[in-house]
RNA sequence: GCUGGCGUAGCUCAGUUGGUAGAGCAGCUGAUUUGUAAUCAGCAGGUCGUAGGUUCGAGUCCUAUUGCCAGCUCCA
């Protein structure tokens, strides 16, 4: 007999009893809901025998790991359905992802929406039949034989990779469908309830464009039909937040066919942008930065010197002037180098923090363009910090704090990633080690958790990236801090030290918004277009009830404009309900309704876009309230 | 760039087996002068992404091209 502790409740079982059987002994409901087990903190398959005293947790769909097993099983059900419809199908990989699962198939023809419906119907059949998933293990050699017999070349390739580890290879079998898989899985297909295939696209085997393109089918499943409906509803809601749609609707920005990847900023978008830039300038001035602006077109020779030509020329636009070769800047750094070199520097001048809102152009692949999130021309809120080696850490920490303070203003969550030396890079191992160690040390001092992306650094140095999470759960790289020992070398930057000798400064590239364009896109989706009052293009709209109040409305507007508020009047001959509806749809923070009563009393009736009717007040009182909120950058409107 | 889907009025979309385009909203005009999310009526608006081809005839079928969308890849 063995003792198993379940949420602190200790029970005795026969040694060798499986996790699933333990779940069953507790109740049929739990058995049906069970997705996997957690044995002494380790996730295990439900079929795992328990042979010693332990602590056990039965994982269900409500647990992250359970959800994964649930979705992964659904992906196997999809594969079984595909095998029935396409007996010669090749199977690559089919993991659970953040929301649902996918499976990559090698099929004789491309799938149509009609096929998707058929696969879905077949999956429902398989679920109805409640086919048990059986787990078995083979030696690597036998595993390869089995998959070769099944004509599964991708699986053979996967097993060959695992073979070296000398472990047994596990499989799961449902009827005639056998799949290589580590698990864990549900006990049978009937435990999966509501299923929906959501998308079908191409994807390369091992994500390499040189390999064959497979067909990736995405789907999601839930234990209850209502949960599936809720999920689909949430997706619909998220779509309404799409910055491309809101951008057009609110007159913020747009992209036209005439300039793929080159966005236009419309009047309201320009106000938003200018507010962000103003905030940015104020903060940078406070933190000891000096703003510069460098030219957009510079000679090709400069880009050879900087190393961009060798490492980045495929993404660069070029032009000829008077027969000479020039390039349009894809980054601001070389210009910054020239500015640093304008005069001799003393160690007393350092750090020199040169900031630049620099418009850069990069030739991105056409298929990667996405609204303002990914464009071919964008403004980096760049800065290059030149410093002595012993200033490196405090400068990095200073930038990390500055970034943190910016993101807090918008209420953003972010995660940190450290990217190390890529294959195609400049500099010596020693320099890279020094730079990477400096970043790691700063990260440790800063104390926030971070992930490491091996080989994902810039060609001139390692970096710390700041990833913001958007309303759809996608993460976008915004802020980045990149340490650079190369550029100062290449441009022969120097400063005179305390010892009177020439020294090489260290340089830091950094951005906070990353790209103003991308940041505005994320903001637009984050707020669903309802920007806090300090950013709102129109902060208040005066809605006269009839033409008789127009004169009074203009007086109120003049007063508020005078006070620094962005105010418009809806002068149209429409009913008040209509004007309110329009202002609401335009997400204007405050509506000021003026009718007979307000005109006589010299007041305005204030309506908040979220709060509704806020009562009557004098224009001055409203102005004070609104301007206080602007100043506080509050998001309470 | 690759794979697949799509491209009709400013926006959202109809358009039947190929027989030379239609609605709602927005716009304009008129009436209405209105109290917290859509007043009524009229008018105007499109060489159906572009270029070829098939056909007596193409928004509809074929080819190419371009843009958009989803994903791969890439990255701020």
């Amino acid at each position: 007999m063995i003792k198993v502790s379940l949420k602190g409740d200790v029970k005795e079982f026969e040694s060798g009893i499986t996790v699933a059987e333990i779940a069953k002994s507790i109740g049929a409901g739990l058995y049906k809901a069970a997705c996997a087990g957690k044995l002494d903190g380790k996730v295990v398959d439900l079929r795992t025998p328990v042979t010693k005293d332990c602590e056990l947790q039965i994982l269900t769909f409500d647990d992250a790991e359970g959800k994964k097993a649930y979705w992964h099983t659904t992906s196997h059900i999809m594969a079984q359905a595909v095998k029935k419809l396409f007996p010669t199908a090749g199977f690559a990989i089919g993991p659970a992802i953040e929301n649902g699962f996918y499976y990559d198939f090698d099929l004789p023809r491309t799938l149509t929406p009609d096929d998707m419906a058929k696969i879905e119907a077949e999956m429902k059949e398989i679920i109805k039949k409640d086919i048990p998933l059986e787990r078995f293990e083979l030696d690597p050699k036998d595993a390869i034989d089995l998959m070769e017999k099944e004509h599964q070349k991708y699986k053979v390739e996967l097993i060959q990779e695992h073979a070296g580890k000398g472990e047994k290879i596990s499989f799961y079998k449902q009827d005639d469908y056998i799949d290589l898989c580590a698990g864990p899985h549900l006990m049978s297909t009937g435990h999966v309830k509501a299923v929906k295939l959501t998308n079908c696209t191409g994807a390369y085997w091992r994500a390499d464009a040189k390999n064959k393109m497979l067909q990736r089918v995405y789907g999601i499943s839930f234990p209850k039909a209502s949960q599936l409906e809720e999920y689909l509803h949430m997706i619909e809601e998220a779509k309404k937040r799409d910055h491309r749609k809101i951008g057009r609707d609110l007159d913020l920005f747009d992209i036209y066919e005439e300039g793929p990847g080159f966005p236009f900023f419309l009047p309201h978008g320009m106000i938003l942008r200018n507010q962000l830039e103003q905030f940015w300038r104020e903060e940078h001035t406070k933190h000891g930065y000096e703003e510069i602006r460098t030219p957009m077109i510079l000679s090709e020779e400069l880009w050879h010197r900087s190393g961009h030509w060798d490492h980045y020329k495929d993404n660069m636009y070029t032009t000829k002037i008077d027969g000479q070769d020039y390039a349009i800047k894809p980054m601001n750094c070389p210009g910054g180098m020239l500015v640093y070199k304008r005069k001799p520097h003393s160690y007393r001048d350092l750090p020199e923090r040169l900031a630049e809102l620099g418009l850069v152009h990069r030739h991105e692949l056409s298929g990667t363009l996405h609204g303002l999130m990914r464009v071919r021309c964008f403004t980096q809120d760049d800065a290059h910090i030149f410093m002595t080696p012993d200033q490196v850490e405090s400068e990095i920490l200073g930038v990390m704090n500055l970034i943190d303070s910016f993101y807090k203003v918008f209420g953003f969550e972010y995660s940190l990633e450290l990217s190390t030396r890529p294959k195609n890079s400049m500099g010596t191992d020693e320099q890279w080690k020094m730079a990477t160690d400096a970043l790691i040390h700063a990260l440790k001092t800063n104390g926030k958790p971070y992930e490491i992306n091996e080989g994902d650094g810039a060609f001139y140095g390692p970096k710390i990236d700041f990833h913001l999470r958007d309303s759809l759960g996608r993460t976008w790289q915004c802020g980045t801090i990149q340490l650079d020992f190369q550029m100062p070398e290449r441009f022969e930057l120097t400063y005179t030290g305390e010892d009177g000798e020439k020294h090489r400064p260290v340089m830091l590239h950094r951005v906070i918004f990353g790209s103003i364009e991308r940041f505005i896109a994320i903001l637009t989706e984050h707020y669903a277009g309802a920007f806090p009052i300090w950013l709102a293009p129109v902060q208040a709209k005066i809605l006269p009830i009839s033409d008789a109040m127009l004169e009074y409305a203009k007086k109120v507007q003049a007063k508020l404009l005078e006070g620094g508020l962005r105010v418009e009047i809806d002068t149209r001959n429409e009913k008040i309900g209509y004007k309110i509806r329009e202002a609401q749809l335009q997400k204007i923070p405050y509506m000021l309704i003026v009718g007979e009563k307000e005109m006589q009393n010299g007041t305005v009736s204030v309506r908040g876009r979220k709060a509704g009717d806020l009562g009557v007040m004098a224009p001055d009182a409203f102005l004070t309230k609104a301007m206080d909120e602007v100043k506080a950058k509050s998001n309470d409107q």
Side-chain angles (χ1 to χ4, degrees), chain A residues 561-595:
Chain A
L561 285 174
E562 181 75 16
L565 212 58
R566 298 185 286 275
V567 187
E568 291 181 356
I569 307 177
D570 190 339
T571 58
R572 292 174 306 172
N573 176 10
E574 292 289 352
K575 285 191 164 179
I576 193 67
Y578 182 83
K579 293 183 182 180
I580 287 171
R581 179 183 154 77
E582 287 258 292
Q584 236 8 102
L585 291 174
Q586 289 289 308
K587 321 264 182 172
I588 295 167
Y590 289 110
M591 287 151 267
L592 306 177
I593 296 152
V594 295

Side-chain angles (χ1 to χ4, degrees), chain A residues 193-207:
Chain A
K193 298 297 177 196
V195 172
K196 174 92 186 154
L197 298 187
T198 51
N199 198 6
C200 171
T201 60
Y204 300 105
W205 168 238
R206 295 188 181 281

Side-chain angles (χ1 to χ4, degrees), chain A residues 462-511:
Chain A
K463 56 177 184 165
I464 299 172
D465 290 327
F466 292 68
H467 291 255
L468 285 186
R469 188 168 276 267
D470 76 8
S471 59
L472 277 164
R474 295 171 300 194
T475 57
W476 291 96
Q477 187 188 319
C478 288
T480 173
I481 304 175
Q482 313 184 341
L483 207 46
D484 188 343
F485 288 89
Q486 314 305 327
M487 221 65 81
E489 197 80 37
R490 292 201 155 220
F491 283 86
E492 298 179 334
L493 304 188
T494 59
Y495 68 91
T496 308
E498 225 171 333
D499 54 6
E501 299 293 314
K502 295 268 187 230
H503 297 275
R504 190 72 79 214
V506 180
M507 191 185 83
L508 200 82
H509 311 246
R510 49 109 275 185
V511 291

